Amino acid sequence: MLNSAVFNRAMKKWSREGGRLVVISSPTAGGKTTVCAALIKSDSTCVRSVSCTTRRPREGEKDGVDYYFIGEKLFKERIRQGFFLEWAKVHDRYYGTPGRYAEALLRKGKNVILTIDVNGGKQVKKNFKDACLIFLLPPSFKEMLKRIKRRGTESRPAVNLRLSTAEKELKELPAYQYLVINDSLNEAVCRISAIIKAENSKIKHAKEAH
Ligand code: 5GP
């Protein structure tokens, strides 16, 4: 007969505890920053990880909020120290996710959202098997160009560099588990939130359970 001890043992054995690393990647102007901000506002289980980068701040960006803007020497030192959970060189600049902060949040049961590039995403999946990888795409190439132009922060050569990176990134799509089309912001956020809930409701894999 079922009693509370048996019930609690089953819960502990099969349900997942703690939070999850959620990677959101997209080619340039895919809208991941906007989607991530809206997701965090609407879902209190989600927290954004703030990356370190060696690129210069864009107008309006704040140190410690958008990124930690650091020099290349310090970044390389931190790579050697194992400070990063993952890191990559994107558009000739270094970007990396600080490990300790993300791990503390995971322990608190938070879903840690990493808006990072595809190389970083693949590193995360290699080291954290239950990380959830979501690829975000604008609804069309035409819309993508429109969004890049609207942003207007990049010079022509910088836009071209981003487009050639985007072509390479698109090839990595099969390494991801989910594809979300960012047509309507609200719909994209609802889908991502649903994906995270579904992932966290999965029964613990037999190997993990023992
Ligand atoms: P941006 O300079 O436009 O903010 O970002 C350029 C690219 O770097 C984007 O694809 C962004 O997702 C990626 N990125 C930002 N932070 C990180 C990070 O910590 N790690 C990795 N691997 N990529 C990042």
Side-chain angles (χ1 to χ4, degrees):
M1 194 173 67
L2 184 65
N3 61 33
S4 85
V6 175
F7 182 90
N8 291 341
R9 245 197 330 271
M11 285 282 278
K12 196 168 164 45
K13 186 173 173 184
W14 301 113
S15 72
R16 290 176 180 269
E17 296 132 28
R20 183 179 293 269
L21 285 174
V22 179
V23 171
I24 303 181
S25 300
S26 75
T28 189
K32 57 186 174 297
T33 310
T34 314
V35 167
C36 176
L39 173 71
I40 279 150
K41 219 168 153 188
S42 69
D43 186 336
S44 61
T45 67
C46 296
V47 179
R48 186 177 74 95
S49 157
V50 179
S51 296
C52 296
T53 183
T54 60
R55 82 148 163 78
R56 285 171 190 279
R58 296 194 188 108
E59 212 182 307
E61 283 184 333
K62 287 199 184 78
D63 187 42
V65 177
D66 300 285
Y67 284 104
Y68 294 106
F69 297 99
I70 64 174
E72 201 166 308
K73 192 165 166 245
L74 178 58
F75 196 101
K76 287 183 174 166
E77 207 173 295
R78 288 187 171 175
I79 294 175
R80 278 194 298 275
Q81 292 165 343
F83 179 86
F84 297 114
L85 191 145
E86 65 71 38
W87 65 272
K89 205 171 179 187
V90 190
H91 311 139
D92 272 340
R93 302 280 175 214
Y94 289 93
Y95 294 81
T97 304
R100 232 184 267 166
Y101 179 62
E103 280 154 15
L105 288 167
L106 289 174
R107 277 196 298 275
K108 281 189 197 160
K110 295 288 182 190
N111 298 303
V112 183
I113 314 297
L114 312 178
T115 49
I116 63 177
D117 85 315
V118 289
N119 291 318
K122 287 195 294 185
Q123 281 177 60
V124 170
K125 193 66 184 169
K126 204 167 133 208
N127 298 323
F128 299 84
K129 295 284 175 251
D130 73 350
C132 171
L133 269 57
I134 302 171
F135 204 90
L136 196 64
L137 272 182
S140 65
F141 183 67
K142 203 172 153 197
E143 178 61 25
M144 184 173 167
L145 285 181
K146 214 163 98 186
R147 287 181 191 177
I148 296 176
K149 281 185 191 146
R150 204 185 303 143
R151 189 154 79 180
T153 51
E154 313 287 345
S155 63
R156 187 74 223 178
V159 169
N160 287 344
L161 177 62
R162 277 171 189 272
L163 286 177
S164 72
T165 307
E167 188 186 3
K168 289 183 207 131
E169 285 178 323
L170 205 55
K171 291 199 178 114
E172 302 294 343
L173 202 153
Y176 280 62
Q177 297 155 287
Y178 296 95
L179 173 63
V180 172
I181 306 298
N182 181 16
D183 195 354
S184 130
L185 174 65
N186 201 24
E187 172 64 19
V189 169
C190 285
R191 270 178 193 265
I192 293 175
S193 200
I195 289 167
I196 296 170
K197 284 188 178 75
E199 283 286 322
N200 284 336
S201 306
K202 276 184 178 166
I203 291 169
K204 215 192 277 182
H205 191 271
K207 253 194 277 172
E208 298 167 58
H210 292 296

